[in-house]
Amino acid sequence: MSTKRMTIYDLAKELGLSVSYVSKALNNKPGVREEVRKEVLKKATELNFRHNTQAANLRRGSSRTLGVIVPQINQSFFSDAISGIEKACTENKHNLIICQSHEKSDLEKTAIETLIHQNVDCILISLSKETQSAKVLEQVLEHKINLIQFDRCDENFLGHKVINDNKHATYKAAKSMIDEGYQRLAFIGGPLHMDLFVDRKEGFIQAINEAGMHVPDHFIVDDNISKENAFQTALKLLALPEPPDGFLAISDLQALGIMLAITQSGLSIPQDIGVFGYANEPFTEIITPSISTVDQNSEKVGYQAAMVYFDHILKNKESDEIITKIIESDLIIRSSSKRNSHNNQLGIL
């Protein structure tokens, strides 16, 4: 049995037609009689011919394929964002190639090079925590490939972005804890070379200042993005003579590490210590106590990022306008940050 794949040349030979005429029939182009078009499609089915859409798209100057690079696929924010991107691609009859950097700048660079070699029309990227230079992003544009940043962006790189209202969302989260009666709040942040973590820190500080509260400098700890680091940091803070009575984290994994430290310290949540996370990971509502968190509407973030390409870049190819979209986040108030007896039901703000 032959394993040779049927080509358009084989199909044209079987039909006794020119390759260009068969190509027009397969692509529903004008200038082909309807009865001939039907005969071509019938013969293609009989011979199990599969049209090489990639080659056809390249001839048209487009691969009809987008690429996305995220730090971690197994975090719900990024998996949901990919789902939104994929939805937009499906609606617009495009394919999607998914890569992850595993928070490593060298793997991110490799992923970008892979997508460039795949000749994608656009790359959507959320930067790894190690990335501190826009050089990898400039490489994309040098190859005449469109670029859209989402969530983790290099604000110094001029280009399209889709982000959350990070400062305002963190401000609301901190204010909700202050309203619950917490007076010595600690903030466990991320790497400050990324603007979203700067914004979240600023939102926390704004809420503290508006409330007229004092937070010791050592209660604000940056670049503690992992669960393990947050756990160790929380243990140290809880061992102080005057420890925090609440923690605001910039990720749910941080919040989980903090909760483990609280439990290990023999304290209870939220009576002794309150905890607020970020991202609304699935585990936040099934553990006890459930974790208050920020829902970033991540599927919408991904969908809107892809739609910047479909609605703006594709339709306005000569436009120099830079698009920035801000997606509003929601607070989800659960057991880990509640103290007031009148506030004992799940709240979404």
Side-chain angles (χ1 to χ4, degrees):
M1 180 179 177
S2 174
T3 58
K4 181 177 179 292
R5 183 176 179 180
M6 176 69 62
T7 69
I8 193 170
Y9 298 98
D10 299 323
L11 181 60
K13 185 177 180 180
E14 287 282 339
L15 291 162
L17 299 170
S18 71
V19 172
S20 61
Y21 198 79
V22 170
S23 177
K24 284 183 179 181
L26 291 170
N27 289 289
N28 202 29
K29 297 290 185 180
V32 179
R33 298 198 311 275
E34 188 58 31
E35 60 269 24
V36 176
R37 191 189 315 279
K38 289 179 179 178
E39 183 62 29
V40 170
L41 295 175
K42 179 182 177 184
K43 181 61 70 173
T45 301
E46 290 175 3
L47 298 177
N48 199 30
F49 170 78
R50 294 291 182 269
H51 189 35
N52 191 337
T53 54
Q54 183 178 21
N57 286 333
L58 288 175
R59 286 194 296 272
R60 289 191 287 265
S62 167
S63 66
R64 296 188 69 83
T65 300
L66 273 58
V68 58
I69 305 171
V70 297
Q72 296 283 358
I73 289 175
N74 63 353
Q75 291 183 13
S76 67
F77 174 87
F78 294 115
S79 60
D80 289 347
I82 289 170
S83 178
I85 294 168
E86 191 172 41
K87 179 182 178 184
C89 286
T90 300
E91 290 176 356
N92 290 276
K93 296 181 172 57
H94 276 60
N95 300 309
L96 180 65
I97 299 174
I98 302 167
C99 304
Q100 59 180 329
S101 65
H102 297 284
E103 298 285 14
K104 302 291 185 182
S105 57
D106 58 338
L107 294 180
E108 183 175 77
K109 183 175 183 293
T110 300
I112 286 174
E113 290 171 351
T114 297
L115 293 175
I116 289 172
H117 288 310
Q118 291 291 323
N119 199 43
V120 297
D121 295 330
C122 180
I123 293 177
L124 299 95
I125 186 168
S126 188
L127 298 173
S128 79
K129 69 179 181 181
E130 287 188 354
T131 303
Q132 299 191 40
S133 168
K135 189 174 181 180
V136 290
L137 304 180
E138 292 166 357
Q139 182 184 4
V140 175
L141 300 187
E142 287 170 2
H143 284 81
K144 309 301 181 185
I145 294 173
N146 296 293
L147 178 71
I148 301 165
Q149 296 185 80
F150 69 98
D151 186 47
R152 300 186 189 177
C153 304
D154 186 329
E155 293 295 330
N156 296 317
F157 183 81
L158 187 63
H160 307 296
K161 300 177 182 70
V162 177
I163 56 177
N164 282 110
D165 56 339
N166 289 289
K167 181 176 179 178
H168 185 57
T170 313
Y171 166 82
K172 290 191 297 181
K175 191 173 185 307
S176 76
M177 296 193 78
I178 293 168
D179 291 344
E180 289 288 339
Y182 296 99
Q183 297 180 350
R184 299 187 310 280
L185 289 175
F187 177 81
I188 311 299
L192 294 182
H193 65 270
M194 289 188 170
D195 291 277
L196 82 162
F197 297 127
V198 173
D199 290 343
R200 292 176 190 180
K201 181 177 178 178
E202 288 179 352
F204 171 79
I205 293 172
Q206 180 184 347
I208 294 298
N209 289 340
E210 285 186 7
M213 295 170 59
H214 171 70
V215 173
D217 290 342
H218 57 278
F219 274 26
I220 299 178
V221 184
D222 300 310
D223 206 5
N224 251 233
I225 201 167
S226 72
K227 181 182 76 174
E228 293 74 18
N229 286 345
F231 171 77
Q232 294 297 335
T233 296
L235 279 180
K236 292 176 183 177
L237 291 176
L238 291 170
L240 294 171
E242 290 190 75
D245 64 354
F247 286 86
L248 178 56
I250 51 83
S251 83
D252 290 329
L253 288 174
Q254 280 182 334
L256 184 59
I258 292 165
M259 291 174 73
L260 292 172
I262 294 169
T263 301
Q264 184 168 310
S265 300
L267 300 167
S268 62
I269 307 167
Q271 292 79 7
D272 297 320
I273 314 286
V275 179
F276 212 108
Y278 215 107
N280 197 24
E281 294 283 343
F283 67 80
T284 57
E285 62 178 336
I286 61 175
I287 66 172
T288 302
S290 56
I291 303 176
S292 295
T293 187
V294 176
D295 188 335
Q296 297 171 262
N297 295 310
S298 48
E299 185 169 347
K300 185 176 181 181
V301 170
Y303 182 82
Q304 289 298 326
M307 292 308 294
V308 169
Y309 176 73
F310 294 120
D311 277 350
H312 176 73
I313 297 175
L314 271 186
K315 295 179 180 178
N316 303 281
K317 293 183 179 180
E318 303 304 318
S319 174
D320 293 327
E321 182 185 3
I322 300 300
I323 301 298
T324 298
K325 291 191 175 184
I326 300 175
I327 307 302
E328 187 175 352
S329 304
D330 297 316
L331 294 194
I332 300 182
I333 309 298
R334 298 194 180 108
S335 303
S336 69
S337 69
K338 291 178 187 174
R339 272 184 170 173
N340 296 337
S341 59
H342 67 274
N343 208 8
N344 59 2
Q345 297 296 319
L346 172 67
I348 300 179
L349 306 176

